[in-house]
Amino acid sequence: MIAAKRGIRMALLTLSLILLATLGLGLLLQWLPARGKPKPTYPQRAPFLGGGGPDTHAWSRYHIRYYPMTLLLIAFEMEMMFMYPWAVVFVEKGAMAVMEMGMFLAILSVGIVYAWREGVFRWQ
């Protein structure tokens, strides 16, 4: 019992030392190249936009109506992504694989039906 506790303590100590050494090396590698260089001024750090600052935030450019269609696309893509390997497993597993895929498609179908009821398929 005591030997097991000692082994666990040694493993934790070793892990802690490795983590500290990795953190120290990472910080050192970040600090070394920048220590002799002067800091850039704000105009040098600002992104280049043809001389002017941005009028709006980047997230405000996308209209909210595109998000439901994107979620629907992700639902269809997930369905297809899991159906290809399922075809290989179906040969080995048989009816159990059919039941699992049926449950998966039922869950995704709930999302598609919800999107349909919300009017995602209607283009304006």
Side-chain angles (χ1 to χ4, degrees), residues 76-95:
F76 279 121
E77 290 297 318
M78 291 297 289
E79 187 174 323
M80 288 298 115
M81 186 176 74
F82 284 113
M83 284 185 92
Y84 286 124
W86 172 78
V88 175
V89 173
F90 171 69
V91 175
E92 297 172 9
K93 299 285 183 174

Side-chain angles (χ1 to χ4, degrees), residues 34-123:
R35 70 184 162 102
K37 296 180 183 175
K39 297 260 186 214
T41 62
Y42 177 74
Q44 291 172 337
R45 286 183 284 134
F48 178 71
L49 295 172
D55 296 332
T56 60
H57 194 272
W59 284 102
S60 64
R61 295 184 210 158
Y62 301 106
H63 197 277
I64 191 70
R65 69 174 174 241
Y66 296 119
Y67 291 111
M69 185 57 83
T70 304
L71 292 175
L72 189 64
L73 174 72
I74 290 172
F76 279 121
E77 290 297 318
M78 291 297 289
E79 187 174 323
M80 288 298 115
M81 186 176 74
F82 284 113
M83 284 185 92
Y84 286 124
W86 172 78
V88 175
V89 173
F90 171 69
V91 175
E92 297 172 9
K93 299 285 183 174
M96 186 67 174
V98 173
M99 289 174 27
E100 289 175 357
M101 185 52 72
M103 290 184 341
F104 177 72
L105 292 176
I107 292 169
L108 286 180
S109 298
V110 169
I112 293 169
V113 168
Y114 172 75
W116 190 344
R117 289 187 63 204
E118 291 294 317
V120 172
F121 295 119
R122 282 185 260 131
W123 287 99

